[in-house]
C-alpha cells in the first residue's frame, strides 16, 4: 500500500525488507505521507537549518530535497520563524 499511495517509489521486489531504514529514507516516506495522504502544505513561515546535519551534503539532490521538506513541515529538525 505504501507504493500505491505514493509513500515510496520502491517496488516490493526492490525493497530491502531486512535492512534498517535510513533517516533520509524515513524523511522521504513521511514527507510523501504528509503531502499525498494528509494533504498538508509546507509552512513557508518556518525556516529549517539543514546545516545542523553534518551529513546533509553527502546525499543526492533528491534526498536533500526530502530532508529539507520534512524539516520545513516541522516534522524533523530545528525550526525557527523566518525573519520578516
Amino acid at each position: 500500500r505504501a507504493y500505491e499511495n505514493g509513500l515510496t517509489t520502491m517496488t516490493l521486489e526492490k525493497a530491502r525488507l531486512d535492512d534498517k531504514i535510513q533517516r533520509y529514507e524515513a524523511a522521504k516516506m513521511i514527507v510523501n505521507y504528509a503531502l499525498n495522504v494528509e494533504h498538508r502544505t509546507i509552512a513557508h513561515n518556518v525556516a529549517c537549518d539543514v546545516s545542523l546535519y553534518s551529513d546533509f551534503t553527502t546525499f543526492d539532490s533528491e534526498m536533500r530535497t526530502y530532508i529539507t521538506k520534512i524539516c520545513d513541515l516541522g516534522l524533523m529538525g530545528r525550526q525557527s520563524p523566518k525573519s520578516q
Side-chain angles (χ1 to χ4, degrees), residues 2 4 6 12 15-16 19 29 32 36 50 56 59 83-84:
E4 294 167 1
L12 184 58
R16 301 180 336 268
D19 292 355
M29 289 185 278
N32 286 337
N36 298 334
V50 293
F56 181 76
F59 300 118
S83 57
Q84 301 273 343

Side-chain angles (χ1 to χ4, degrees), residues 48-81:
C48 179
D49 186 3
V50 293
S51 69
L52 297 172
Y53 302 113
S54 60
D55 58 351
F56 181 76
T57 58
T58 66
F59 300 118
D60 65 27
S61 62
E62 179 190 19
M63 288 300 112
R64 287 194 306 266
T65 298
Y66 281 106
I67 292 168
T68 301
K69 284 182 179 182
I70 195 169
C71 208
D72 288 343
L73 282 164
L75 300 173
M76 180 179 91
R78 298 180 184 179
Q79 297 79 28
S80 61

Side-chain angles (χ1 to χ4, degrees), residues 1-12 28-29 32-33 36-37:
R1 292 189 38 120
Y3 181 78
E4 294 167 1
N5 288 311
L7 305 185
T8 182
T9 55
M10 187 177 291
T11 61
L12 184 58
K28 181 176 182 177
M29 289 185 278
N32 286 337
Y33 180 84
N36 298 334
V37 177

